[in-house]
Amino acid sequence: MRIIVPVKYVPDIEAGYEFDQAGRLDRGGDGLLSQLDEYPLEQARRLAEQTGAEVVALTVGPDEADEAVRRALQMGADRGVHVSDEAIAGSDASATALVLAAAISHLGGADLILCGAGSADATTSLIPVQLAARLQIPALTGAASLTVQDGVVSVRRDEDAGSLTLAAALPALVSVDDKAGEPAYPSAKAVMLARKKPIDLLELADLGVDAAAVGAAAAKVTVVGIEPVPPRAGGQVLDAESDDVVAAFVELLQANALI
Amino acid sequence: MSDILTLLDDPSAEAERLAAAGRLGTPVGVRLNGGLEAHAQPGRVAEGLAALAEARAAAAVLLPAGLFGAEVGSLLAWRLDSGVITDVIQLDPDLTATKPVMAGTSLTRARVAGGVAIFTVRATAGGAGDGDADAAATAATAAAAEVVELPAAAPRPGEDRIQVTSVTGRTASGARPDLADANIIVSAGRGTGGDLTAVEELADALGAAVAASRAAVDAGWVDSSLQVGQTGKTVSPRLYVAAGISGAIQHQAGMRGAELIVAVNEDPDAPIFEIADLGIVGDLGEVLPAAAAAVRSRA
């Protein structure tokens, strides 16, 4: 069995980030593996332990995205594939799904594709279902839990109105949300072993993808402006030991006509 | 005016969704039947909407924010060779959309370039205020709007192999207000240690909704439908009381839009204090019941 986990390199939001004049994120700054991609990697690691499956971490992004793949290798992926091409910069979700689908086909397909619930930067959740559609396989999304037995994957999906249990025969795509098991922190040994695992580099030409079908010029969404949300200013901080915190709370409620 | 299709899958939000469409063009509600099970096959929904959008030369399609809406939007955009903007908090009459990115630390304004513009829209988005006049206008637009059934369509290739093996409905949580409508929200975090008594007592004194951080949901103390944060709900009440919540950036993404924030936490270094209008360092098991008693004595 082969499991492919598409992963994304995202800016480190807490370390600060910048946009260029076209409103595009500077993807060369400090970054890391999107936190929500750790959940599918953890599920892949557990399935590999049970079944001996091969786990491939796949990314599409600039040179720096290598770091996200390296982290995935520390978390148990056996090898990495990094699609990098200048023409890809500025791609929208559809174009990214196109490149991922082409890469997965180029690799000979997967029995199971495990995606995160959304990226930490734009959090659109657009890619998994479209990737599955392009590969003509089922997409079981928003999985809070996941099992694979006798070639059938089953997931539980929780929504406000209730829960669904979904099943499909492999090959299939599953997006895993952060209710699925907490990722194990890689051991020092795992980190060391990851250094020796291979990362294959691919370009669009290797995948037979036309450069005109991707990138900023092909994007169907145009950013016309971007601005930081002004940081909230903190107010007073009181200590319940020494201050009359209840009076302060009631005063705030009254001043704002909340009682 | 061109048709603006709006997908209706939640009866309680229909009037607002039709009114939001009415601010952009001629609103046409598209009712989705089939309950939760319909969410398992977004391709079928996208195909039905695509047929309708083409037949009526619609200018835009509005979908509910969230995973299901994003999936329908993604497949619809691919099918119509168009673009989709998710999680929109404001949609201007010229179809420029505003959405938060980077865990709510920035806002982008974006447009769909050509074709049918597709948006997933938060229930609270739009220009309407909440005054009586706006409520009346919303009701009038909704009552006058055309509502059609979603045309039947085949699932996309591959999607037809998905089996729904069980559906479990969730019953409403009772007397407290919904997170989306609540003026005040009292939210429980890891610091409650799983004892929600104090949080619920203050919430009930204030007529508030109860919410939770991801830590409290993961621990099984609170239902996941009440989670606030990047992977839960985004709320913008007049007052958000964070009880025992440290305030990681992922949590802030869901609540930084609150008008006022009060934080109660034992750890004076908790990041939540950096954005709280009133921070209280102390034991929430003592502070919250005392605050609840003070509120009740004034009622």
Side-chain angles (χ1 to χ4, degrees):
Chain A
M1 182 157 94
R2 179 195 276 160
I3 302 172
I4 295 183
V5 185
V7 297
K8 187 174 182 182
Y9 176 75
V10 299
D12 184 347
I13 296 174
E14 284 167 276
Y17 56 89
E18 285 179 7
F19 294 94
D20 67 14
Q21 284 179 332
R24 267 155 49 186
L25 192 61
D26 172 11
R27 298 213 174 263
D30 277 353
L32 70 174
L33 172 69
S34 177
Q35 210 176 21
L36 292 172
D37 288 340
E38 295 185 1
Y39 297 87
L41 284 165
E42 174 65 14
Q43 293 299 318
R45 189 187 65 80
R46 292 183 193 183
L47 285 169
E49 258 179 27
Q50 289 164 26
T51 64
E54 180 198 28
V55 178
V56 183
L58 166 65
T59 199
V60 176
D63 292 349
E64 293 80 5
D66 208 52
E67 269 184 58
V69 179
R70 193 60 70 187
R71 181 68 179 169
L73 298 178
Q74 294 173 359
M75 294 186 67
D78 298 298
R79 63 190 179 96
V81 177
H82 182 176
V83 183
S84 187
D85 199 305
E86 280 179 14
I88 294 172
S91 290
D92 63 10
S94 281
T96 307
L98 167 72
V99 174
L100 286 170
I104 289 168
S105 299
H106 175 84
L107 295 170
D111 299 288
L112 185 60
I113 300 169
L114 292 177
C115 297
S119 58
D121 47 0
T123 332
T124 64
S125 305
L126 292 170
I127 286 180
V129 75
Q130 197 179 123
L131 174 58
R134 288 176 183 270
L135 295 169
Q136 302 202 345
I137 60 173
L140 311 181
T141 53
S145 67
L146 146 74
T147 57
V148 177
Q149 202 159 27
D150 303 327
V152 174
V153 58
S154 299
V155 311
R156 192 189 83 236
R157 166 167 168 162
D158 295 333
E159 298 201 24
D160 284 355
S163 294
L164 288 169
T165 328
L166 307 171
L170 302 179
L173 177 147
V174 172
S175 78
V176 178
D177 78 12
D178 61 352
K179 307 294 183 300
E182 275 302 305
Y185 201 80
S187 65
K189 189 180 167 200
V191 171
M192 201 181 68
L193 283 175
R195 292 199 192 114
K196 295 185 180 141
K197 294 176 180 174
I199 300 178
D200 293 329
L201 284 172
L202 295 172
E203 297 183 350
L204 288 182
D206 300 316
L207 308 179
V209 172
D210 179 2
V214 302
K220 299 291 195 306
V221 173
T222 317
V223 174
V224 294
I226 186 146
E227 56 187 60
V229 175
R232 287 187 75 112
Q236 57 177 348
V237 179
L238 304 179
D239 191 325
E241 296 282 317
S242 50
D243 304 311
D244 190 347
V245 296
V246 170
F249 181 65
V250 170
E251 196 177 305
L252 179 123
L253 292 174
Q254 284 175 328
N256 291 281
L258 288 160
I259 48 172
Chain B
M1 284 205 296
S2 302
D3 284 352
I4 308 291
L5 304 185
T6 184
L7 187 68
L8 306 174
D9 77 334
D10 173 5
S12 68
E14 282 191 3
E16 281 76 14
R17 295 208 169 272
L18 287 165
R23 286 191 286 275
L24 308 169
T26 306
V28 178
V30 183
R31 196 165 276 140
L32 173 67
N33 295 313
L36 260 188
E37 278 184 77
H39 289 192
Q41 293 190 326
R44 194 189 276 280
V45 180
E47 192 56 38
L49 284 170
L52 208 54
E54 284 174 338
R56 305 184 69 122
V61 179
L62 310 188
L63 301 162
L67 181 57
F68 171 64
E71 294 187 333
V72 172
S74 183
L75 296 171
L76 186 58
W78 186 38
R79 164 73 170 71
L80 294 175
D81 195 23
S82 179
V84 54
I85 302 172
T86 57
D87 207 19
V88 171
I89 58 170
Q90 187 190 315
L91 201 46
D92 299 342
D94 71 348
L95 299 181
T96 301
T98 304
K99 71 164 287 184
V101 295
M102 312 298 284
T105 57
S106 287
L107 292 177
T108 57
R109 290 169 54 72
R111 296 175 53 82
V112 173
V116 182
I118 304 162
F119 305 97
T120 81
V121 182
R122 288 197 194 161
T124 50
D130 44 15
D132 288 345
D134 291 323
T138 296
T141 307
E146 181 186 0
V147 175
V148 300
E149 298 286 312
L150 180 73
R156 68 167 177 82
E159 187 178 83
D160 46 346
R161 295 200 280 116
I162 298 173
Q163 293 184 316
V164 178
T165 50
S166 80
V167 183
T168 316
R170 195 193 305 271
T171 45
S173 56
R176 297 198 185 95
D178 272 358
L179 289 187
D181 307 329
N183 249 334
I184 306 179
I185 294 173
V186 185
S187 194
R190 196 193 303 273
T192 61
D195 180 358
L196 299 189
T197 318
V199 166
E200 291 175 343
E201 186 182 347
L202 181 60
D204 292 340
L206 292 166
V210 169
S213 70
R214 199 185 135 218
V217 170
D218 278 0
W221 303 334
V222 183
D223 190 87
S224 64
S225 64
L226 299 178
Q227 182 183 325
V228 167
Q230 189 172 33
T231 56
K233 298 274 183 334
T234 303
V235 296
S236 45
R238 291 203 55 214
L239 171 64
Y240 187 90
V241 181
I245 293 175
S246 64
I249 193 162
Q250 291 83 2
H251 186 74
Q252 290 189 19
M255 48 68 83
R256 61 185 299 151
E259 197 179 311
L260 290 165
I261 296 170
V262 173
V264 183
N265 204 300
E266 284 200 304
D267 175 9
D269 298 323
I272 193 80
F273 288 131
E274 289 163 22
I275 63 162
D277 299 280
L278 172 62
I280 298 173
V281 179
D283 178 355
L284 64 92
E286 291 172 13
V287 174
L288 266 44
V295 169
R296 279 193 303 263
S297 73
R298 266 153 221 277

